Amino acid sequence: MAGPITYRSYLRLDDLLACQTPLSQAHDELLFISIHQASEIWMKLCLHELRAARDHVASDVVSPALKMLSRVSRIQTQLIQSWEVLATMTPADYSTMRGSLGGSSGFQSDQYRQIEFLLGNKNAGMIEVHEGDDAIQAVLRRDLAAPSLYDETLRLLARRGLAIPADRLERDFTQPYAYSETVEAAWAAIYREPDRYWDLYELGEKLVDLEYHFQLWRFGHLKTVERVIGFKSGTGGTPGVPYLAKVIEQKFFPELLGVRVRL
């Protein structure tokens, strides 16, 4: 970087602020672009923190992972609030710019898919959405085949002497995780003696916090889409609101929700 470092040069604001380029004369297109670009930057940070947290859990170093997961939950709060800003766009506002979107859709966000894969919502079919982009597909295939944050958490529980079935420790990680009553019993043991298993108890709660905020994020997306376009199909060919409603039902860490009933 030539010359002294300034606020503008350090943040590369010339490059960053040149990225908001509306394709229509619609006043609200700048809002639409800004919200989605900002969300992608936040998701980049989420991925940075989630990958590091998973590595720490895999190395039995839980404390830094707790801080990183707390940070992701706070980032999710920012993402949730962004729907409030986007919801100021009225149906008439959106209709004046929708043609500029072509076939583009948030459904095509590879960073969002990476986050889902890291949290355990594995679906190989989602990689096909990025057909023609070999680099992105390679990243998604890597994340699809790798243990999720929850997979590494269960391995940690097993190393700490808790009864985790072998088929949950070594399995085909390209497949979505399936509920296990034995795993729920292991979490119940942790939750009944939090002082004995304090870092594992805290880790469990951080995971619940992640899922809680992720569901709020999905719900915010659903209600914003419903408010702006109603029950029209999405630009990427998805059914829109019905698809988003179905997605909300997906769970990342089923035993951590089920353990509350046990207690």
Side-chain angles (χ1 to χ4, degrees), residues 154-259:
L154 296 186
R155 287 174 165 184
L156 173 63
L157 266 57
R159 290 193 297 271
R160 295 288 185 87
L162 291 148
I164 304 296
D167 63 359
R168 292 301 187 278
L169 302 174
E170 297 298 334
R171 64 185 190 86
D172 181 358
F173 294 117
T174 66
Q175 299 302 307
Y177 179 81
Y179 167 83
S180 165
E181 186 173 351
T182 306
V183 170
E184 186 177 298
W187 281 115
I190 292 168
Y191 273 70
R192 288 192 180 104
E193 296 186 80
D195 291 340
R196 178 182 177 186
Y197 299 107
W198 184 254
D199 60 343
L200 300 181
Y201 175 74
E202 279 287 285
L203 179 56
E205 284 298 283
K206 297 301 182 189
L207 293 176
V208 170
D209 205 33
L210 275 183
E211 177 145 347
Y212 171 76
H213 283 94
F214 206 95
Q215 293 296 71
L216 289 179
W217 182 20
R218 285 169 163 170
F219 184 74
H221 188 190
L222 164 70
K223 299 307 290 184
T224 302
V225 170
E226 184 180 69
R227 175 172 177 165
V228 176
I229 70 169
F231 290 87
K232 292 180 182 177
S233 296
T235 49
T238 68
V241 168
Y243 170 78
L244 295 173
K246 185 176 180 180
V247 166
I248 288 176
E249 298 173 3
Q250 297 171 347
K251 300 291 187 294
F252 294 123
F253 320 122
E255 293 90 358
L256 281 167
L257 298 178
V259 75

Side-chain angles (χ1 to χ4, degrees), residues 88-157:
T88 62
M89 177 184 285
T90 68
D93 296 329
Y94 183 66
S95 66
T96 61
M97 57 149 287
R98 186 174 186 181
S100 301
L101 300 179
S104 66
S105 167
F107 185 71
Q108 300 161 348
S109 171
D110 59 283
Q111 289 202 122
Y112 175 84
R113 203 63 60 195
Q114 289 176 58
I115 291 173
E116 285 208 317
F117 285 3
L118 276 166
L119 294 181
N121 187 22
K122 304 291 185 76
N123 183 347
M126 294 296 100
I127 299 176
E128 297 173 8
V129 174
H130 304 282
E131 185 177 359
D133 195 324
D134 294 341
I136 288 176
Q137 285 197 326
V139 171
L140 290 172
R141 288 195 185 98
R142 178 199 66 192
D143 286 341
L144 182 74
S148 70
L149 173 61
Y150 195 54
D151 289 318
E152 291 295 359
T153 297
L154 296 186
R155 287 174 165 184
L156 173 63
L157 266 57

